[in-house]
Amino acid sequence: MYYAILAYHQEGVVQSWTEEEDQALMTELLEVNDRLVAQKSLGPAARLGPTEGAVTLRGQGEGMVIDGPFAETKEQLLGLYVVDFPTIEGAIAAARDLRRANPTAVYEIRPILLYLPGASLESRAED
């Protein structure tokens, strides 16, 4: 079964990290990433950009594009991991490993009801 591990954190805290602090955290998170890849349990993972660069589409019909996400929370969605485990306990264990690397983050584990891997995306420079 596929599960999404959604990583939440306060953007101000994340943005306050020095380059060295951020690199140290990423090194620890990539160790968990590599272990999950070796176990063939990790699918796509992404670190999201800041919410100030995001927009939200909401409303009826074509919808209206408004600036940023407006969630009633102090934490913002920082990134996500897609994992494959037979039960939610395996996904929880993976989230605990991620939390050991980043103990100030909050991790939500949610079953994925439909998983379509899509096409492989290559990075494209903006024209």
Side-chain angles (χ1 to χ4, degrees):
M1 172 105 191
Y2 290 108
Y3 295 91
I5 299 176
L6 307 173
Y8 293 88
H9 211 300
Q10 293 183 26
E11 278 188 344
V13 172
V14 174
Q15 292 170 347
S16 74
W17 294 336
T18 65
E19 191 173 322
E20 292 79 19
E21 289 170 323
D22 189 58
Q23 187 57 48
L25 171 65
M26 290 308 298
T27 297
E28 288 187 56
L29 290 173
L30 288 173
E31 288 175 9
V32 176
N33 184 88
D34 292 346
R35 189 171 65 253
L36 293 172
V37 167
Q39 294 172 356
K40 299 187 188 296
S41 296
L42 183 65
R47 186 176 195 182
L48 301 176
T51 56
E52 62 209 28
V55 297
T56 299
L57 177 66
R58 67 172 66 226
Q60 297 180 3
E62 296 265 330
M64 179 190 314
V65 176
I66 56 176
D67 291 341
F70 293 99
E72 295 293 327
T73 181
K74 291 182 180 181
E75 297 93 13
Q76 290 76 37
L77 181 61
L78 180 68
L80 62 100
Y81 300 84
V82 175
V83 295
D84 183 15
F85 288 99
T87 66
I88 197 167
E89 286 76 20
I92 292 169
R96 284 191 171 127
D97 286 341
L98 294 165
R99 185 167 171 81
R100 277 190 277 284
N102 189 1
T104 58
V106 174
Y107 293 93
E108 175 185 349
I109 299 94
R110 186 183 298 185
I112 295 176
L113 300 180
L114 175 65
Y115 177 76
L116 302 172
S120 176
L121 299 176
E122 294 185 29
S123 178
R124 297 184 295 201
E126 291 188 36
D127 296 324

